[in-house]
Amino acid sequence: MRGLLPKGVFATMLSLSLGLFVDAAPAPEARKTLQIYFVDVEGGQSTLFVTPEGRSLLIDTGWPGNNGRDADRIAAAAKDAGIKKIDFVLITHYHDDHVGGAPQLAAKIPVGTFIDHGENRETNDEGAKRVFNAYQQLLATGKYKHITAKPGEVLPVTGMQVRVVSADGELIERPLPGAGKQNASCENATKPPVDTTENPRSLGTLITFGKLRILDLGDLTGDKEMELMCPINKIGVVDIYVVSHHGSQPSGTLAMVHAIAPRVAIIDNGAKKGGSPEAWDVIEKSPGLESLWQLHYSEDGGSKHNVAAPFLANLEGPDTGNYLKVTAAADGSFEVFNSRTHETKKYAAR
Ligand SMILES: [Zn+2]
């Protein structure tokens, strides 16, 4: 029999059969997929990425207070993903809905490394100063590694590529590989005024897993979007767009959204925060959009600017903390699970 099979095939059969003996029990954790939890932190951000090997990156920590509500929800997502530690926590910027939850999170679950854009630049704002100082106290314990990220860098997260595209108001200067086309959406676009808050300082990343591309720019504002996207699109197209600034203006300009042309966009809005009709319209009209998902029904959006119920993690009424979860394969196919409906929608590879 051996003589009839090419050597490689025989070796594969042998190792497969040996593998069956070695790992007799089925291994449900032997995943090949990337999992992404869009944790409901009520209009803040907290997005947990877990690679097939169980390495993890959390982008933002939600709000402070609320008896540790956001840390509890992040820990529940980590538990669901089968991890006991978060390897990297990336703080996009120093606003309470992003970094505010960091001390409670660190008290709840072990963290390896914090990544941020450096100093707080909104020193005239008491809220930003307060959450930045609390975060600095956490770093000063010496328990964590710390990285100050710069545009263009690839962060040391294994199992997926995390490339920094914006940090501390600086942006990548050259187009990413495969990007660099003239952006037709820039025509007639007017650049929004310069924003002086922490938002335009957001640490933004393009995350690549096999063929899948995911863009997360935190609360990056329209002025920076235009620099990044006009006249040349430096990002290219993406599969999944973590909607900037919870779907609030002045972020999510048409010049950016229609050029990155996401297949799926997910808004981390709250019932009363983000999900503005103007930002929502831009996404809905984006070329190639297959689905828009929202963490919450937006009161601001009303009957005309909210997605249909199956695409909403949380409906009107009392807070139930439902999340959305993306499971993605390296070929670029993925699915979105709604923890409220327990329904899953599949998206085939391009
Ligand atoms: Zn925010």
Side-chain angles (χ1 to χ4, degrees):
M1 173 164 171
R2 189 176 175 183
L4 296 175
L5 287 167
K7 238 181 184 171
V9 174
F10 181 77
T12 306
M13 287 170 66
L14 185 68
S15 61
L16 281 175
S17 59
L18 283 175
L20 281 178
F21 284 111
V22 176
D23 302 314
E29 295 309 313
R31 285 188 305 257
K32 290 194 168 134
T33 51
L34 172 70
Q35 301 177 85
I36 313 166
Y37 292 81
F38 292 77
V39 180
D40 175 28
V41 291
E42 308 294 327
Q45 181 171 2
S46 193
T47 318
L48 177 65
F49 295 74
V50 182
T51 71
E53 302 80 17
R55 301 289 285 172
S56 51
L57 166 72
L58 179 73
I59 299 185
D60 287 333
T61 60
W63 301 87
N66 304 306
N67 282 321
R69 175 199 68 200
D70 294 353
D72 288 349
R73 290 181 181 179
I74 297 162
K79 190 177 177 206
D80 190 72
I83 56 169
K84 294 191 164 63
K85 173 191 177 187
I86 299 178
D87 299 309
F88 296 90
V89 174
L90 184 157
I91 301 297
T92 59
H93 64 295
Y94 305 120
H95 280 165
D96 52 358
D97 57 328
H98 296 261
V99 68
Q104 290 174 341
L105 178 78
K108 183 101 189 166
I109 185 166
V111 170
T113 303
F114 281 97
I115 306 169
D116 57 54
H117 74 59
E119 287 294 307
N120 167 37
R121 305 295 185 184
E122 199 176 342
T123 51
N124 58 350
D125 182 85
E126 286 307 315
K129 269 163 50 180
R130 189 172 54 243
V131 289
F132 178 71
N133 288 340
Y135 173 56
Q136 292 307 304
Q137 282 178 16
L138 192 61
L139 294 182
T141 61
K143 289 183 194 166
Y144 311 102
K145 290 185 191 156
H146 177 240
I147 295 170
T148 305
K150 303 270 182 250
E153 268 179 7
V154 174
L155 298 174
V157 184
T158 55
M160 59 183 182
Q161 190 194 68
V162 185
R163 188 181 289 274
V164 178
V165 297
S166 66
D168 196 20
E170 302 293 319
L171 306 167
I172 47 168
E173 288 173 6
R174 293 165 191 278
L176 297 178
K181 284 193 184 144
Q182 200 78 18
N183 180 358
S185 301
C186 296
E187 285 168 26
N188 307 320
T190 45
K191 193 174 168 180
V194 170
D195 188 304
T196 57
T197 69
E198 264 286 304
N199 290 334
R201 306 277 175 178
S202 286
L203 172 44
T205 49
L206 180 79
I207 297 174
T208 313
F209 177 71
K211 290 184 176 164
L212 193 84
R213 291 158 60 86
I214 306 150
L215 185 65
D216 186 330
L217 300 177
D219 287 359
L220 198 75
T221 43
D223 51 339
K224 295 292 173 187
E225 291 177 357
M226 296 280 287
E227 286 177 40
L228 203 49
M229 304 300 290
C230 294
I232 296 291
N233 173 356
K234 297 196 189 86
I235 301 282
V237 296
V238 307
D239 297 286
I240 300 173
Y241 167 45
V242 182
V243 174
S244 296
H245 205 177
H246 326 282
S248 300
Q249 290 188 313
S251 303
T253 53
L254 186 143
M256 183 186 76
V257 177
H258 288 206
I260 60 169
R263 297 181 68 186
V264 163
I266 301 180
I267 312 181
D268 46 14
N269 65 314
K272 295 177 192 293
K273 186 167 175 295
S276 80
E278 296 81 6
W280 191 92
D281 277 339
V282 169
I283 302 165
E284 271 288 315
K285 290 181 182 138
S286 180
L289 186 83
E290 292 173 45
S291 310
L292 172 59
W293 295 79
Q294 296 173 211
L295 276 184
H296 272 268
Y297 178 85
S298 161
E299 290 180 16
D300 200 12
S303 60
K304 291 201 171 67
H305 299 90
N306 273 285
V307 291
F311 296 90
L312 287 170
N314 295 281
L315 304 174
E316 282 179 280
D319 171 35
T320 38
N322 298 306
Y323 60 90
L324 297 170
K325 179 187 171 188
V326 169
T327 302
D331 68 357
S333 65
F334 61 99
E335 58 186 42
V336 181
F337 168 76
N338 183 339
S339 80
R340 179 180 63 81
T341 62
H342 289 269
E343 300 278 342
T344 298
K345 184 167 169 58
K346 292 185 190 305
Y347 301 86
R350 276 186 204 264

